[in-house]
Amino acid sequence: MQFIDLKKQYQALRDPINERIQAVLEHGQYIMGPEVRELESRLEAYTGAKHCVTAASGTEALLISLMALGIKPGDEVITTPFTFVATAEVIVLLGATPVFVDVEPDTGNMDASLVEALITPRTRAIMPVSLYGQPADMDAINAIASRHGNIPVIEDAAQSFGATYKGCKSCNLSTIGCTSFFPSKPLGCYGDGGAIFTNDDALAQACREIRVHGQSKRYVHTRIGVGGRMDTLQCAIVLAKLERFDWEIKQRLAIGQRYNELFDQRGLRRIAQRADRSSVFAQYTVLVDDREALQARLQGAGIPTAVHYPVPLNEQPAYHHCKGALTPVAGSLAKQVMSLPMGADLDAADQVAIATLVVLGLGLHGQYRSRR
Ligand SMILES: *Cc1c(COP(=O)(O)O)cnc(C)c1O
């Protein structure tokens, strides 16, 4: 069994993917070819955001966004420590300081009620993460940001492309949204890729320029930029994957809900889903004690698991200098979270087998019958 089955996905999309790749090989515009803009407009329509700017990766999308906002040494950016390192890394790269705020115990997302206490005159941005594919409480965070002089809010939506919050699409919930097309994300390419979304014309223009070395015209460098383009072939692959994306989202939801039911019956703790938003289940994550023993047991039965994330960023050696409050909830979640195989192509019988082994491994007793 695979943690995420990308082979099955390719088999289902072989023709459109091959045709799209072939078309790029024929026209030969490998950098900023027509597929780049085509993908950006498709994703603008999908999210409802006015602008989409593709980037070399999710990390690069975050970095370019912070550069477009003018984040500089001495600035503070409030973010969560319970995330992939890239979220805080880009802040430090610009000489700014991550200020870590604790997370909600049931979702693992930024706890909006703790944000206000960390705002100082140096706060230049707030960067929540829509963890495991479920949007953070963006309305509450946006409200705090606007009360404090319209602090920009960047949603790290690397895991949540396709999710919704109160009827709006993730990536289009705040000043800027950034996603990733890393192969294992809900919408992935076959290498690195990412995208920035905003409704702000000036910010979009800044991102477009920063992405190509701060160039406003060929060899006119208006700003300091980076080499941050997404290449044409990767855009072509995402375009092909969009053909089945709505179906994949429905599948992920159904599979996530089936896991919920299977585990709720047995009283197993899991990441909660809020009623006003939908998760794309980038990860399906349960909370367990004695995680290592359970992982070993599942591994022995051929079931791969993963831990997102074992150590909060404020406890990482390179991030000890950062600021913020104590984050006991992130620390405790980091010890308990365990993600199970998840993906649109996960077979229903396999899913029941996984749930059964988890339940037995935890001594919760009993076997499920496949509903097929
Ligand atoms: C994957 C991920 C990133 C980075 O995306 P890349 O495309 O791998 O650079 C950033 N933040 C979060 C929360 C992620 O899950």
Side-chain angles (χ1 to χ4, degrees):
M1 197 183 297
Q2 303 274 310
F3 190 67
I4 295 170
D5 199 337
L6 292 175
K7 247 191 212 155
K8 264 198 206 159
Q9 187 197 41
Y10 173 63
Q11 279 156 9
L13 289 167
R14 182 189 303 263
D15 288 347
I17 289 174
N18 289 1
E19 279 159 27
R20 280 285 188 175
I21 290 176
Q22 194 60 38
V24 175
L25 297 176
E26 298 295 339
H27 70 55
Q29 294 176 56
Y30 300 117
I31 300 295
M32 298 307 277
E35 284 81 0
V36 177
R37 190 58 214 145
E38 185 183 350
L39 176 63
E40 290 173 348
S41 20
R42 287 283 297 277
L43 299 181
E44 284 160 3
Y46 185 87
T47 57
K50 187 169 176 199
H51 303 283
C52 169
V53 182
T54 53
S57 66
T59 307
E60 210 67 19
L62 291 169
L63 179 66
I64 292 169
S65 300
L66 290 179
M67 291 173 77
L69 290 169
I71 303 295
K72 56 182 191 314
D75 291 348
E76 293 177 357
V77 179
I78 297 175
T79 190
T80 155
F82 196 47
T83 177
F84 182 61
V85 67
T87 315
E89 188 177 49
V90 294
I91 300 168
V92 176
L93 276 174
L94 294 175
T97 305
V99 176
F100 292 115
V101 59
D102 211 356
V103 296
E104 300 169 338
D106 56 343
T107 65
N109 276 329
M110 176 181 280
D111 187 337
S113 71
L114 303 175
V115 169
E116 201 146 26
L118 293 172
I119 293 178
T120 75
R122 290 170 178 257
T123 306
R124 290 288 174 272
I126 304 174
M127 193 159 31
V129 176
S130 293
L131 193 71
Y132 304 139
Q134 175 172 232
D137 195 357
M138 298 302 289
D139 274 1
I141 295 165
N142 287 334
I144 294 162
S146 71
R147 272 208 298 280
H148 289 268
N150 287 321
I151 301 170
V153 177
I154 302 176
E155 182 198 11
D156 180 345
Q159 302 179 3
S160 60
F161 190 84
T164 60
Y165 176 86
K166 303 184 182 176
C168 298
K169 286 271 180 0
S170 180
C171 294
N172 187 26
L173 301 173
S174 59
T175 320
I176 294 180
C178 292
T179 200
S180 162
F181 305 120
F182 187 83
S184 60
K185 307 281 170 156
L187 180 60
C189 59
Y190 288 163
D192 278 309
I196 301 158
F197 297 84
T198 183
N199 291 309
D200 182 312
D201 296 345
L203 276 177
Q205 183 58 28
C207 290
R208 285 190 193 287
E209 293 180 8
I210 292 166
R211 171 176 74 172
V212 281
H213 307 287
Q215 210 171 244
S216 50
K217 272 197 298 202
R218 193 161 170 81
Y219 301 129
V220 178
H221 302 281
T222 313
R223 335 164 177 260
I224 304 295
V226 293
R229 296 165 300 226
M230 181 166 169
D231 67 69
T232 314
L233 273 169
Q234 297 303 339
C235 290
I237 289 160
V238 177
L239 278 166
K241 290 214 185 173
L242 282 176
E243 296 206 0
R244 179 181 101 127
F245 188 61
D246 285 338
W247 175 84
E248 286 190 9
I249 295 289
K250 274 194 206 127
Q251 282 297 105
R252 282 177 171 281
L253 259 174
I255 291 168
Q257 267 152 19
R258 198 184 303 130
Y259 266 138
N260 287 349
E261 286 163 24
L262 291 170
F263 291 136
D264 290 352
Q265 282 171 27
R266 304 286 178 189
L268 183 73
R269 291 173 305 138
R270 57 169 173 88
I271 291 295
Q273 275 90 48
R274 297 266 189 267
D276 60 359
R277 56 203 96 160
S278 72
S279 178
V280 286
F281 293 104
Q283 269 84 37
Y284 188 90
T285 304
V286 295
L287 303 173
V288 297
D289 302 320
D290 208 3
R291 178 172 65 199
E292 272 176 34
L294 182 59
Q295 283 192 287
R297 200 170 159 158
L298 292 168
Q299 188 65 49
I303 297 172
T305 57
V307 174
H308 309 98
Y309 296 88
V311 180
L313 297 183
N314 43 3
E315 293 174 26
Q316 292 284 0
Y319 291 83
H320 277 154
H321 69 287
C322 300
K323 294 189 182 170
L326 292 175
T327 59
V329 177
S332 138
L333 284 175
K335 291 193 178 71
Q336 299 176 65
V337 288
M338 184 183 80
S339 300
L340 298 172
M342 179 67 187
D345 296 291
L346 182 65
D347 182 82
D350 284 347
Q351 192 184 3
V352 172
I354 294 164
T356 300
L357 279 164
V358 171
V359 160
L360 289 175
L362 290 171
L364 295 170
H365 309 297
Q367 206 146 354
Y368 300 110
R369 228 169 267 139
S370 169
R371 295 201 300 184
R372 289 201 309 187

